[in-house]
Amino acid sequence: MEETYLLNVEGVKKKILHGGQGELPKLQDGSKITFHFQTLKDDFERTVIDDSRDAGIPMEIIVGKMFKLEIWETLLSSMRIGEVAEFWCDTIHTGMYALVSRGMRRIAEGRDPLEGQKHRCGMGNMFDYHSTGYDDLDELQRTPQPLIFIMELFRVEEPSAYKRDTWAMSKEEKLAAVPVLHSEGNRLVLRKEFRQAAAKYQEAVICLRNLQAKEKPWEDGWLKLESLVTPLVLNYCQCQLELGEYYEVLEHTTELLQKHNDNAKAYFKRAKAHAAVWNEREAREDFMRVAHLDPSMAAAVKKELKQLGERMRKKHVEDRKRYQGLFQSHQG
């Protein structure tokens, strides 16, 4: 079909490859759009950069949630359900594509899309990408260029028709979700489903951290949210102890204690993790802090220290036997 300029949007041309059905869907804030896409270079070979079919799952974006490549919302709003269309987009619309692609590729590889940039603000990150970790995307960053997007629109869902992802929720929805996630986590712990419980606690923490990011650290609003975060992190750490993820417990409890150095429960969980990975001195120090901060936990501490002493003695005996065996085999 004939190539046309799209919706009076500068620097975009559209060609319909396969017609869709019905009216144009009405998009509103919070609508979820599901589609497949292919990204091509505007060169003689039409070099393929990305293809969502390779990942095996279609792409989803939420309208109005600051998706880094804003032009995609515009392109998709011109399509009917079932339509396949090709869009040529000039450089003014494609500058962020390398970063978007990097995140999508990381998700497809089962990695964290925010790896290495978790603790910085979005604008700061834009100037921080020396390399995306992918040669073809590094080239796109160095030399921004027009790109071709081939899209197939599958469905558009109203905001109420699907379970909202945490990041897509409003402030009120996040606050309402936290106690629900907390109690779901507790229910799963009672059933000894620790991995699923940890995921619930983690999701609740993410909701609160997102809200905290909009508050001034250590002011009332921030502190109120922090008081909700702390028990969730401790519950998460308890699940990780049950799952044997001791280094993760060390990381999260240490982070918590940097802000709240009088939290006896955090010291107790960190001590147990230290003990599990044979850090005897650190475990003893943390257990002693627990007894000092919360005398009501003294009996539990005494029991843990006794177990630690027995484990360490057993380990020393086994180590000695192992070394003797090695020494004798070398002599022999």
Side-chain angles (χ1 to χ4, degrees):
M1 287 181 73
E2 199 57 39
E3 189 167 76
T4 55
Y5 282 89
L6 171 69
L7 305 174
N8 305 319
V9 180
E10 185 191 348
V12 176
K13 288 181 231 173
K14 175 180 180 181
K15 193 194 297 183
I16 296 174
L17 306 179
H18 182 277
Q21 305 100 38
E23 300 291 309
L24 284 174
K26 288 185 171 60
L27 300 182
Q28 55 179 304
D29 266 16
S31 296
K32 180 158 84 169
I33 311 174
T34 306
F35 60 101
H36 264 309
F37 74 94
Q38 222 183 14
T39 305
L40 317 171
K41 281 188 180 180
D42 184 22
D43 57 11
F44 182 73
E45 295 85 6
R46 285 167 65 95
T47 308
V48 177
I49 300 169
D50 288 306
D51 188 336
S52 62
R53 284 184 173 79
D54 290 345
I57 47 168
M59 181 74 186
E60 294 175 345
I61 62 174
I62 310 290
V63 174
K65 291 297 172 187
M66 299 297 288
F67 183 64
K68 280 192 182 111
L69 208 62
E70 285 176 42
I71 192 62
W72 275 16
E73 274 187 29
T74 308
L75 306 184
L76 290 158
S77 70
S78 78
M79 297 178 71
R80 291 174 166 78
I81 304 298
E83 181 178 320
V84 182
E86 176 177 312
F87 301 91
W88 176 90
C89 293
D90 207 347
T91 314
I92 53 168
H93 301 297
T94 62
M96 294 294 281
Y97 184 76
L99 300 191
V100 172
S101 173
R102 172 187 191 261
M104 291 187 296
R105 289 183 190 187
R106 282 177 173 273
I107 291 167
E109 291 162 9
R111 294 159 69 194
D112 181 351
L114 301 177
E115 198 176 287
Q117 54 152 319
K118 282 182 180 166
H119 303 297
R120 302 217 240 347
C121 72
M123 286 306 290
N125 287 323
M126 280 176 60
F127 306 106
D128 201 34
Y129 283 94
H130 305 302
S131 169
T132 60
Y134 304 94
D135 291 343
D136 58 337
L137 299 183
D138 287 347
E139 186 213 330
L140 278 185
Q141 281 209 129
R142 280 193 299 272
T143 54
Q145 55 199 269
L147 293 173
I148 296 163
F149 302 112
I150 299 174
M151 294 177 154
E152 179 179 1
L153 180 61
F154 292 129
R155 62 182 171 273
V156 173
E157 294 167 88
E158 298 300 302
S160 57
Y162 64 92
K163 182 181 177 295
R164 307 287 293 276
D165 288 325
T166 302
W167 60 268
M169 292 177 181
S170 68
K171 180 180 178 177
E172 291 70 26
E173 287 170 327
K174 283 176 184 157
L175 280 172
V178 168
V180 175
L181 290 164
H182 198 156
S183 62
E184 282 177 3
N186 293 350
R187 189 172 49 79
L188 288 161
V189 165
L190 290 172
R191 286 165 36 185
K192 298 202 176 334
E193 293 177 22
F194 297 113
R195 201 170 299 282
Q196 293 90 322
K200 296 290 182 188
Y201 296 137
Q202 189 175 34
E203 196 178 337
V205 169
I206 289 167
C207 281
L208 293 168
R209 290 284 188 229
N210 286 347
L211 295 172
Q212 259 190 325
K214 296 173 178 66
E215 302 282 346
K216 278 195 174 168
W218 303 105
E219 292 197 355
D220 284 351
W222 188 93
L223 286 167
K224 211 169 278 181
L225 293 165
E226 185 67 15
S227 69
L228 298 173
V229 167
T230 303
L232 287 162
V233 171
L234 290 170
N235 287 2
Y236 175 81
C237 287
Q238 185 57 43
C239 292
Q240 297 304 327
L241 279 174
E242 300 284 354
L243 294 164
E245 300 288 352
Y246 303 118
Y247 289 102
E248 181 142 355
V249 176
L250 291 176
E251 183 190 334
H252 288 289
T253 49
T254 300
E255 198 178 303
L256 197 63
L257 287 164
Q258 282 165 355
K259 292 184 204 157
H260 313 286
N261 63 0
D262 58 349
N263 191 306
K265 287 180 179 173
Y267 279 119
F268 191 75
K269 293 187 198 308
R270 189 170 77 171
K272 284 183 72 96
H274 274 309
V277 296
W278 308 104
N279 296 341
E280 184 181 13
R281 183 177 59 79
E282 292 89 341
R284 285 186 183 282
E285 282 175 8
D286 278 354
F287 279 132
M288 296 314 287
R289 280 200 195 98
V290 173
H292 173 70
L293 287 166
D294 186 351
S296 72
M297 295 178 76
V301 165
K302 194 174 174 185
K303 185 181 163 192
E304 291 289 343
L305 284 170
K306 190 178 173 209
Q307 284 178 356
L308 175 62
E310 285 166 3
R311 280 185 73 228
M312 294 312 296
R313 271 192 297 281
K314 201 172 166 188
K315 183 176 187 290
H316 292 321
V317 170
E318 284 170 4
D319 286 350
R320 206 162 35 243
K321 279 183 187 164
R322 196 178 304 121
Y323 292 136
Q324 280 173 348
L326 280 171
F327 183 65
Q328 284 162 358
S329 68
H330 281 310
Q331 281 198 326

